[in-house]
Amino acid sequence: MDTKSIMEALQAPFPQEDIEWRVGSTNKDKTKGLALAYVTNRAIQNRLDEVFGPFGWQNQFKEWKQGSQLCGISIKFEDEWITKWDGADDSNQEAIKGGLSDSMKRAAYQWGIGRYLYKLPKNWVEIEPAGHSYKIKRKPSLPAWALPKGAKPDEQPTQSNVTPPEPTAAIKSKWELIGGKPEVLNKWFFNQMLEGKTVEEIDQLLTKQLEEKRLMEQYDAKVVDERKGA
C-alpha cells in the first residue's frame, strides 16, 4: 500500500464493540459525567496486524518519571523502522498495567488510530459509583460518521443535551477577584472540564492565579514605594 492508503486504513472508524467508555469530568453531585471514548488495545493490535502484518510492527514501553509510562509503536515502512511515542499516568486500578494500556492507546493516536474519537460531540451521561471511581450507566451510541461503512448506529438514546455542571460559588468568587469577566466564566469553566479537569482542579487553578495576582500587586506596590522614597 502507498502512504495514503496506509493512513486511510489506520484512521478508519472501529465498530461499536471495539470502543470502551470512561467517565471524564463529573458534576458537583456526581450523578452525571462526561463520556470519553477510547479504542480498546486489542482492536489497536488487530488494526496494526491488518495494515502491516504481525511482523511489520512492534511496541516497547519505558517508565517515565514517577508513576507514568511511555509507549512507542514502531512500524516497518520501506525497510525502515519508524517509531512514535506517547505516555500516560498509571491508573487508579491496576496502576502500572493501566498506565501501559493507556500509553499504548495514546501512541496509537499518534499514528491516527482512533484519532477521530476526539471529534465526537461532548456527551454528559448518567453515572454510578464503581469502587473508588465511577462508571457510565448506559454506553452512548456513536454517530454514523464514527462507524465503519454500512454499520448502523445504536438506537439507544444519548444524553448530549444534559446540562453540564456550573461553577461553584468559590470559583465564581475567585474568578471575580482575578478580574475575569462574569459573562465568560461559564464558557471558560466548561472548556476546562472538557480538557479533563475536575471542579477541585479548576478551583486550585484559580487559587494559584489569585495568589500570583496578589504577589504581583505586592511587587508593584513595593516598586512604587521605592520610587517615592528615592
Side-chain angles (χ1 to χ4, degrees):
M1 291 190 291
D2 58 21
T3 304
K4 182 180 179 181
S5 299
I6 290 174
M7 293 310 299
E8 289 177 351
L10 289 174
Q11 295 172 3
F14 289 85
Q16 299 262 19
E17 58 267 24
D18 287 337
I19 304 299
E20 60 184 12
W21 296 86
R22 300 180 189 175
V23 178
S25 300
T26 62
N27 61 356
K28 188 176 181 180
D29 57 5
K30 307 296 184 183
T31 58
K32 296 180 177 66
L34 186 63
L36 302 177
Y38 297 87
V39 181
T40 66
N41 266 13
R42 182 174 299 175
I44 291 171
Q45 294 167 22
N46 290 338
R47 176 64 55 84
L48 291 167
D49 283 346
E50 292 168 1
V51 177
F52 302 109
F55 305 109
W57 70 276
Q58 59 185 2
N59 59 356
Q60 50 187 312
F61 296 93
K62 295 180 181 179
E63 186 174 4
W64 182 50
K65 296 183 179 180
Q66 185 175 2
S68 301
Q69 309 294 330
L70 282 175
C71 176
I73 295 180
S74 305
I75 61 97
K76 195 172 185 180
F77 184 71
E78 296 182 351
D79 297 324
E80 180 181 357
W81 285 98
I82 303 173
T83 306
K84 293 188 178 183
W85 292 84
D86 210 328
D89 294 333
D90 291 341
S91 63
N92 294 329
Q93 298 178 350
E94 296 185 282
I96 296 178
K97 181 180 179 181
L100 295 173
S101 176
D102 288 347
S103 64
M104 184 169 177
K105 290 182 176 70
R106 290 178 177 272
Y109 294 153
Q110 297 293 331
W111 286 106
I113 301 174
R115 196 184 296 169
Y116 67 95
L117 295 174
Y118 285 120
K119 299 178 182 178
L120 289 175
K122 306 307 176 185
N123 197 359
W124 289 87
V125 298
E126 293 184 353
I127 60 176
E128 58 187 359
H132 298 293
S133 186
Y134 295 87
K135 66 178 181 179
I136 295 172
K137 284 188 176 181
R138 171 180 282 189
K139 293 182 180 180
S141 61
L142 292 169
W145 63 263
L147 292 169
K149 292 181 179 179
K152 294 182 179 180
D154 285 346
E155 295 299 326
Q156 66 181 30
T158 61
Q159 300 184 31
S160 56
N161 60 340
V162 174
T163 303
E166 295 183 355
T168 62
I171 288 177
K172 292 178 180 178
S173 176
K174 293 174 184 178
W175 178 262
E176 293 178 2
L177 289 173
I178 65 173
K181 297 181 180 180
E183 62 270 20
V184 300
L185 171 58
N186 284 350
K187 182 177 181 180
W188 176 86
F189 177 79
F190 187 51
N191 286 336
Q192 293 296 310
M193 297 205 75
L194 292 183
E195 292 177 4
K197 293 186 179 70
T198 63
V199 173
E200 292 76 14
E201 289 172 336
I202 296 174
D203 186 276
Q204 292 171 4
L205 174 63
L206 288 175
T207 299
K208 182 179 179 181
Q209 292 181 0
L210 184 58
E211 182 62 24
E212 291 174 349
K213 182 175 183 288
R214 288 172 176 169
L215 290 174
M216 183 60 67
E217 290 174 346
Q218 292 175 3
Y219 175 78
D220 291 341
K222 182 179 180 181
V223 171
V224 171
D225 291 340
E226 289 176 349
R227 288 178 178 175
K228 289 180 178 179

